[in-house]
Amino acid sequence: MPSSSRYPLRQWIWRAFVQSALIPLILVESVLIAVYLLSNQAIRDAQIEHLQETAVKDLASAALREAQIIDGRLRSIESLVQVYRDGAHKALLDTRFQADELERQRHAVTDSGVFYTRSDDGRAASFYANSTPLAQQDHAKVMRLSQLDPLMRSIQQASPLVAALYFNSWDSYNRIYPWFDTPAQYPHDMVIPDYNFYYLADAKHNPERKVMWTEVYLDPAGLGWMMSAIAPVYREDFLEGVVGLDVTVSQVLGEIAELNVPWQGYAMLVSHDHNIMALPKAGELDFGLRELTQYSYEEAVRREVLKPEDFNLAKREGMEPLLQAMNEDNGNVQEVLLGGRKQLVAWSEIPQTGWRLLLVVDEGQIFHDTNQLAERYMQIGYLLIAGLAAFYLLFFALMWLRSRNLSKQLAEPIDGIVDMATSLGQGKYLPAVPDSHIAEVSRLADAVQQAGKQLKASEHERQEAQSILQLVLESTTESLWQIDTTDLTIDLSERFVRRFGLGAKHLTLSEFNQRVHPDDLERLRHLRKLFADKGEEYFDAEYRYLDCRGDYLWLLSRGKVLARDESGWPLRIAGTHVDITRLKQVQEELRHASLEALAASQAKSRFLSSMSHELRTPLNAIHGFAQLIEMEAQDKQDARLETDYAREIVSASRHLTSLVDDILDLSSIESRRQQLQFQPIEIGALLSGCAELVQPEVQQKQLQLQVMEAANPPLFVQGDPRRVRQILLNLLSNAIKYNSPRGMIRMGYEVRADCVRLWVDDTGPGLSSEQQAQLFQPFQRLGRESSNIPGTGIGLVLCRELATLMEGEIGVRSEPGVGSRFWLDIPSAASPDVLGDETAEVPAQAVQSLVQVLCVEDHPACMKILQASLREFAEVRGVSSCQRALAELQESEPALVLLDIDLPDGNGLDVLDAMRADPRLRDVPVMVISAVADARLFEDAKARGASACLSKPVDLQEVRQVALGLLYSGY
C-alpha cells in the first residue's frame, strides 16, 4: 500500500464512524421520523403486539444462549478431566518412577490400618481405607500417583469452578487435592466403589468410558453439596479407578448469577430427572426452598447423600404443564404460577450433560416496558423533531470522544505487543504484558508471552544440552577433529590446540604430521591410505604426538566417514583423539608383571591343580542337571523354551570346562607333566571336522572359508587327536577374530621331507617383524589389549607348547597389509590297520529289567545326576563314604559300581582295592568318576582294576554308553 494512503488509527476510526454510522443514521432517523408521524397511530397496536412476541422470543433465545455458556464451562471441565485421566493412566503404568523422600515421609499408618498423608507440603491428600487390609494395600501405586500432584494443582488453579480433584481406586484408595486431614474426615472403613462418584463411571453405567456427571450429592471430603465430572481409568479391560473434578453448588450458583438474564429474572439448573441442582436466592422465595448451604456429614461419610425430594420439580404442585412441555419438546417457553405471580419460564438443554437451564422472569416485568413504550410513542414523536438537531450535535461530539478513546484503547496495547515482539528478538523472553479490555488483543499478548516462555525454556534446554555435551567431550576425549580430503586440512578443537601448543585450529595435514613421532609417521600415513583405498567406514590408529612441553603422548585416533563423492572417495572424515598414554604405561607394566608371573608359574600350576576338583564338582552338577532337563523336555512340544534354556546351560558349562582344561593344560605343560595319547590321525577328516566346528562363526562374521581337498589315498600324522584339533581350532579362531571385513580364510596341508605341514591362511592386516617377535609370549596381544576383540594372550603359547610335546613345530609367515599364514609341522604316520568295531550293540532285551548299581559319591547333586542318567535300566543306590561303601558291598553284589576318588573318609581307590581282593566282587566292573582330571591318576586307577575312568563334569550320554558297555559286555 502507498504511504500516502496511511493515516493514524484515531483518524481511521473516526472516518469509519462517519461513513458507516453517522451519515446512514441521519438518513435513517429522518425517514423513520417521517414514517412515524404518518403511520404512528395505525401501527402502534401492531408494534406493541410484535414487541411482546419479540420479548418472549428474546427470553427463549436468552435461555438458549446462556445454556450454551454453561455448556461451554462444563465442556472445559470435561477437557480437564480427560487431561487428568490421561495423566493418571500414565502414572499408574510408570513403574520406573521413584517418589522423593518427602513424599515417603508424608505417609503414615493409623492404628486402624489406614495409610494416609499426615502433612500438607503443598501436595495432595492420600487415604487408603482399611476396607483393603494393610497387607494387601498397593503402596507402590500410591507413590506412583504422587507424580499427579503438580497436574492436580495446575488444574485447580487454572479453573475457578474446580473445587477439588481426586483419584479413587477399585481398592478404596483416594488421592485428593487440596490437602485436608483425611482420617479426621473419612471413615476408616470407607468403601469408595459404593459412591456415585465412582460407580457411575464403571462399565455398567458407562460402557463408552466417557466423562460422566453426577447428581448433586453431599461431598464426604467436607466441601458441601456438589456435583462431579468423573472418568474411568482402565488398564486394558480392568477398571483401575476413577478420576474426578468437584464443582460445588455455591460455585455453580456463582456462575449462574453471572449469566445475563433479561428483565431482572434469574436462572436455575435442573437435572435430566427434574431435580433442582442449583437455585439462586431470587428463586428460593418462588419455590419455597432454601438452597443447601448447610449440611451435616453424619451420614455422608458412611453413604452417598443426595438432595431431598423437595428439590424435584415433579414433586411440586403446578409444575406438571412445565414438565410436560419440556418432555414433549413443545416450544421452550411456558407460563407457570410461581410465588403467587404469573411468570414465564424458558428452558434450554445443555447437550453435554442433558441438564436444563431454566430462566424465570416475571411476566409483568417483561411487558412493563412494552406498555410504557406504547404510552410514550406519541411523546417521543414530538420530542424527536425538536431534539433532533441538538441530538446530532451531541452525538457528533460523543462519537468524536468515543473514537479518541477507542483508538487509545487499541493503539496502546498494540504498541505494547509490538514492544513485546521486539523484546523477544533482543533475547528478553519475559516481556511485560500490556493491559487491555479487548479479549482478542489480550489473547494475542498472552500468546506472545507464552511464545517467550517457550523460547526461554528452549534456550535453557539448548544451553544445558550444550554444556553437558561439552563436559562429556572434554571428559572423554582430547579433541574432536575433522579432515577435509579436498584441500588436505584438519580442524581441531580449542582444547587440543592449547594442550599441544599448536598455532591454530585449522591446519594442513603436513603441519599436523610434524608433531607425530618419526617412528609412527609412516605407519599413520599407511593406515590413512589403506583406509581410503579400501572404502572402509571407520578409521582407527594409535601414535605418539608431541605436546607443548616437548613430551610425546600416545593418542588413539578414531573416526568415521561423513561424506563421499560419486566414486566412493571420502570427502570429509570426523572423529576424536583420546589420550591413551596411561594405558600404554599400564600395558608396559603388565608386560613386566607377566615376566614376574613366569617366575611364579610353578606356584600357579600347583594352585590350578588343587583347584581342579573344586571347579569340576559344581560344573558337573550344572552340566549334568542341564542335560537331564534337556533330555526330559526335548520330546515335549510345550517345553521348547525349557529345552533351549537347558541347551544354553550345557553349552556354557562345556565352555567353562574347556576353559578350565586349557588353563590346567597350560599349567601342566609348563611343569612338563602333560600326558599325550599318540595315534595316527587322518588329515582330511581332521581339517573338515575343524572347519565344520567354526563354520557358524565364519558365517556370522561374513567371512569365507576354503578347505583343501583330502588326499587319495589318505594321509596320516602322528599325534594326540585332541591336541592337534585344539591347535588348529585356535589358529582358525585367531584368523576369524583378526581378519578383514568379508575376508578369506584358507586351510590346507603340504607334505614335506620329514613331516606334514598343516596351515591356516587369513587376509587380515598382517603382522610386522616386531609383532612377530612378540607373538608367542604369554599374555601378549600385540597392542589389541584395548580393543573389543576377546582374548587372553595364552592361546598361541599353549599351541607352541603342545606342538613341542608332539615333536612338532609351530610358526608364522606374515606381511603387513596382505595377511598371515600360521603353520604346524607334525610328524607323518603310516596308515593304521583297520580295527573291528569293538562296541557291540546292546540287545534291547538286555535292558528290560533294572540292574543294581552302587554309586559311591559324597556330593548330593552329582549323586542325583548319576541316578537320573541310569534310571531307565538301573536302580542306583548311593553312599557317601568309603566305610558305607564297604559295608554295602559286604551285604550285596551290585552289577556295577560308580566310584568317586576324593571321599570324606579316604581315597576311593581303597574301595577298588578291597573289591579286587574279594573273590566275590573281583569281576564287578568299576567306573571311576572324579573331578581330579589327572591322566596319571586315571592310569593308576586302571592299573588297580578300574574298568573305565571319566572326569567331571560328565556327559550323561557318555556315562550311559559306558555303563551299558560294562553291564552287557557279555552279549
Side-chain angles (χ1 to χ4, degrees), residues 399-603:
M399 288 297 101
W400 173 254
L401 295 176
R402 181 61 177 165
S403 65
R404 289 175 59 90
N405 186 36
L406 183 58
S407 63
K408 182 178 180 181
Q409 292 179 1
L410 286 173
E412 290 181 355
I414 291 174
D415 290 339
I417 293 173
V418 173
D419 293 339
M420 291 177 67
T422 304
S423 299
L424 293 182
Q426 296 173 351
K428 301 175 182 178
Y429 298 116
L430 296 176
V433 179
D435 186 23
S436 175
H437 299 290
I438 303 174
E440 289 78 2
V441 176
S442 180
R443 287 199 300 270
L444 178 60
D446 291 340
V448 174
Q449 188 181 48
Q450 185 64 30
K453 291 179 180 179
Q454 294 177 353
L455 287 174
K456 182 179 180 181
S458 299
E459 178 65 17
H460 180 68
E461 291 178 359
R462 185 193 65 80
Q463 292 177 354
E464 284 188 348
Q466 184 176 4
S467 300
I468 293 173
L469 178 60
Q470 187 66 29
L471 178 61
V472 170
L473 292 177
E474 292 182 355
S475 300
T476 57
T477 64
E478 285 294 328
S479 168
L480 296 176
W481 55 265
Q482 181 171 317
I483 293 178
D484 188 340
T485 60
T486 305
D487 53 5
L488 297 180
T489 59
I490 183 170
D491 292 313
L492 303 165
S493 62
E494 185 66 31
R495 184 167 180 259
F496 189 87
V497 173
R498 294 195 307 268
R499 172 78 184 276
F500 291 90
L502 301 178
K505 295 192 294 184
H506 185 77
L507 301 173
T508 64
L509 284 179
S510 298
E511 294 173 338
F512 180 82
N513 291 343
Q514 292 175 3
R515 296 289 190 95
V516 179
H517 194 284
D519 295 342
D520 300 337
L521 182 57
E522 289 302 320
R523 179 171 55 85
L524 179 60
R525 288 174 175 169
H526 176 74
L527 290 175
R528 288 174 179 168
K529 184 176 183 303
L530 189 66
F531 167 74
D533 292 341
K534 288 191 173 183
E536 297 179 352
E537 288 294 323
Y538 297 94
F539 175 77
D540 194 327
E542 297 178 2
Y543 52 88
R544 288 162 287 183
Y545 203 77
L546 188 65
D547 68 359
C548 59
R549 296 177 296 183
D551 299 328
Y552 279 101
L553 302 180
W554 277 97
L555 294 180
L556 172 60
S557 181
R558 286 178 173 171
K560 181 181 179 182
V561 177
L562 299 181
R564 296 182 183 272
D565 60 13
E566 296 179 354
S567 64
W569 182 264
L571 298 178
R572 286 189 298 115
I573 310 166
T576 61
H577 284 129
V578 179
D579 186 351
I580 60 171
T581 305
R582 179 56 184 163
L583 181 60
K584 289 292 185 180
Q585 293 173 354
V586 171
Q587 291 176 357
E588 184 64 21
E589 293 172 359
L590 288 175
R591 191 179 69 82
H592 288 294
S594 66
L595 295 177
E596 297 176 359
L598 289 177
S601 62
Q602 294 297 326

Side-chain angles (χ1 to χ4, degrees), residues 46-101:
Q47 286 180 336
I48 291 174
E49 182 180 357
H50 173 71
L51 288 175
Q52 290 176 343
E53 294 177 356
T54 302
V56 174
K57 292 180 180 179
D58 288 345
L59 179 60
S61 299
L64 178 62
R65 180 182 67 251
E66 302 306 328
Q68 291 174 347
I69 294 175
I70 295 297
D71 183 64
R73 301 290 175 85
L74 297 180
R75 286 180 182 273
S76 66
I77 292 177
E78 290 186 1
S79 299
L80 295 176
V81 172
Q82 293 172 353
V83 172
Y84 182 34
R85 173 177 62 185
D86 295 341
H89 182 267
K90 181 178 180 182
L92 286 172
L93 296 180
D94 188 5
T95 58
R96 296 176 299 176
F97 174 79
Q98 296 294 329
D100 56 18
E101 185 64 24

Side-chain angles (χ1 to χ4, degrees), residues 332 491 525 695 785 798 881 931 936:
N332 59 346
D491 292 313
R525 288 174 175 169
Q695 190 62 38
E785 293 82 354
L798 179 60
S881 65
R936 292 186 303 175

Side-chain angles (χ1 to χ4, degrees), residues 154-393:
S154 299
I155 292 176
Q156 200 266 346
Q157 293 174 354
S159 178
L161 278 177
V162 177
L165 299 90
Y166 56 83
F167 172 84
N168 291 321
S169 71
W170 62 274
D171 54 354
S172 295
Y173 169 71
N174 170 258
R175 192 172 192 91
I176 186 167
Y177 182 86
W179 182 91
F180 61 89
D181 187 6
T182 50
Q185 185 66 34
Y186 290 155
H188 60 85
D189 56 350
M190 182 169 64
V191 181
I192 291 178
D194 292 345
Y195 290 81
N196 64 342
F197 50 76
Y198 187 93
Y199 64 72
L200 287 179
D202 61 18
K204 176 182 178 182
H205 297 84
N206 185 17
E208 298 88 357
R209 301 183 182 181
K210 62 182 181 179
V211 178
M212 301 287 290
W213 283 89
T214 69
E215 300 293 338
V216 175
Y217 65 93
L218 187 56
D219 180 28
L223 296 180
W225 293 94
M226 64 171 51
M227 59 194 73
S228 295
I230 59 176
V233 180
Y234 280 89
R235 175 168 53 82
E236 296 180 353
D237 291 331
F238 180 72
L239 180 60
E240 284 283 353
V242 175
V243 297
L245 273 64
D246 286 341
V247 180
T248 64
V249 171
S250 59
Q251 289 172 316
V252 175
L253 290 174
E255 287 293 316
I256 291 177
E258 295 179 0
L259 297 179
N260 185 17
V261 182
W263 299 292
Q264 300 179 1
Y266 61 88
M268 55 185 291
L269 195 61
V270 178
S271 66
H272 57 84
D273 53 358
H274 310 309
N275 281 324
I276 300 176
M277 303 180 67
L279 183 65
K281 290 186 178 297
E284 291 181 351
L285 294 176
D286 288 343
F287 285 89
L289 294 173
R290 184 167 182 175
E291 182 55 275
L292 299 178
T293 56
Q294 301 295 327
Y295 40 82
S296 171
Y297 287 97
E298 185 174 342
E299 292 295 330
V301 298
R302 291 291 177 182
R303 60 181 180 85
E304 62 179 20
V305 177
L306 306 178
K307 275 194 170 184
E309 292 187 356
D310 292 345
F311 282 81
N312 193 304
L313 294 180
K315 304 294 182 179
R316 304 189 64 83
E317 296 182 2
M319 294 292 105
E320 291 82 1
L322 175 62
L323 297 179
Q324 184 178 0
M326 289 193 297
N327 292 333
E328 294 176 356
D329 199 16
N330 185 15
N332 59 346
V333 178
Q334 180 70 30
E335 183 181 281
V336 178
L337 185 63
L338 281 175
R341 307 186 311 276
K342 289 185 178 180
Q343 304 200 44
L344 292 181
V345 178
W347 65 88
S348 179
E349 183 175 338
I350 299 174
Q352 196 66 13
T353 60
W355 301 341
R356 289 184 174 91
L357 180 69
L358 276 61
L359 301 186
V360 182
V361 181
D362 193 332
E363 185 177 291
Q365 188 69 28
I366 295 178
F367 300 138
H368 175 73
D369 294 338
T370 304
N371 296 330
Q372 285 187 344
L373 181 62
E375 296 176 0
R376 294 180 182 177
Y377 265 150
M378 189 62 68
Q379 299 176 6
I380 292 174
Y382 294 118
L383 293 175
L384 202 60
I385 298 174
L388 185 61
F391 167 76
Y392 279 114
L393 289 176

Side-chain angles (χ1 to χ4, degrees), residues 555-830:
L555 294 180
L556 172 60
S557 181
R558 286 178 173 171
K560 181 181 179 182
V561 177
L562 299 181
R564 296 182 183 272
D565 60 13
E566 296 179 354
S567 64
W569 182 264
L571 298 178
R572 286 189 298 115
I573 310 166
T576 61
H577 284 129
V578 179
D579 186 351
I580 60 171
T581 305
R582 179 56 184 163
L583 181 60
K584 289 292 185 180
Q585 293 173 354
V586 171
Q587 291 176 357
E588 184 64 21
E589 293 172 359
L590 288 175
R591 191 179 69 82
H592 288 294
S594 66
L595 295 177
E596 297 176 359
L598 289 177
S601 62
Q602 294 297 326
K604 177 197 69 178
S605 299
R606 290 192 299 271
F607 170 76
L608 292 176
S609 179
S610 66
M611 287 299 293
S612 172
H613 181 270
E614 298 300 324
L615 289 173
R616 289 178 179 273
T617 298
L619 280 176
N620 183 57
I622 297 171
H623 191 69
F625 280 121
Q627 291 179 82
L628 290 176
I629 295 172
E630 181 182 2
M631 292 166 61
E632 290 289 337
Q634 62 185 356
D635 296 330
K636 299 178 180 179
Q637 293 296 328
D638 58 346
R640 294 181 179 177
L641 187 61
E642 289 82 354
T643 304
D644 294 339
Y645 288 167
R647 288 173 181 167
E648 290 295 331
I649 298 173
V650 171
S651 177
S653 62
R654 286 174 178 167
H655 176 73
L656 290 175
T657 304
S658 176
L659 179 60
V660 171
D661 289 341
D662 287 344
I663 296 175
L664 294 176
D665 284 348
L666 181 60
S667 174
S668 61
I669 288 173
E670 292 172 344
S671 59
R672 298 299 175 181
R673 293 188 293 106
Q674 178 70 27
Q675 301 295 324
L676 301 178
Q677 303 294 328
F678 287 88
Q679 65 184 57
I681 307 170
E682 202 272 309
I683 293 177
L686 174 67
L687 297 182
S688 60
C690 293
E692 183 178 357
L693 288 175
V694 301
Q695 190 62 38
E697 188 176 2
V698 170
Q699 294 177 353
Q700 182 182 5
K701 297 289 187 179
Q702 298 183 347
L703 304 174
Q704 298 183 39
L705 174 61
Q706 293 182 356
V707 182
M708 187 174 176
E709 294 183 358
N712 189 13
L715 290 176
F716 293 84
V717 294
Q718 187 72 13
D720 187 311
R722 176 172 173 264
R723 299 309 181 183
V724 174
R725 185 182 298 107
Q726 181 179 354
I727 294 173
L728 289 179
L729 289 175
N730 190 288
L731 298 181
L732 284 170
S733 176
N734 288 344
I736 293 171
K737 289 191 292 186
Y738 301 106
N739 212 329
S740 301
R742 302 183 182 277
M744 173 70 71
I745 301 173
R746 298 181 179 87
M747 184 167 57
Y749 65 93
E750 60 184 86
V751 180
R752 304 177 72 87
D754 56 347
C755 64
V756 175
R757 172 167 290 185
L758 308 178
W759 49 262
V760 176
D761 278 351
D762 65 71
T763 57
L767 301 171
S768 65
S769 57
E770 293 83 4
Q771 291 175 319
Q772 294 181 41
Q774 304 172 8
L775 189 60
F776 293 95
Q777 297 179 12
F779 308 104
Q780 176 59 253
R781 298 200 61 208
L782 306 182
R784 292 181 173 86
E785 293 82 354
S786 60
S787 69
N788 58 0
I789 300 176
T792 60
I794 66 172
L796 290 177
V797 178
L798 179 60
C799 291
R800 184 184 63 180
E801 296 295 332
L802 290 173
T804 302
L805 290 177
M806 291 186 292
E807 300 180 356
E809 183 181 358
I810 191 169
V812 62
R813 183 177 72 249
S814 181
E815 181 178 352
V818 177
S820 303
R821 167 175 285 194
F822 285 81
W823 46 264
L824 168 66
D825 286 347
I826 190 167
S828 59

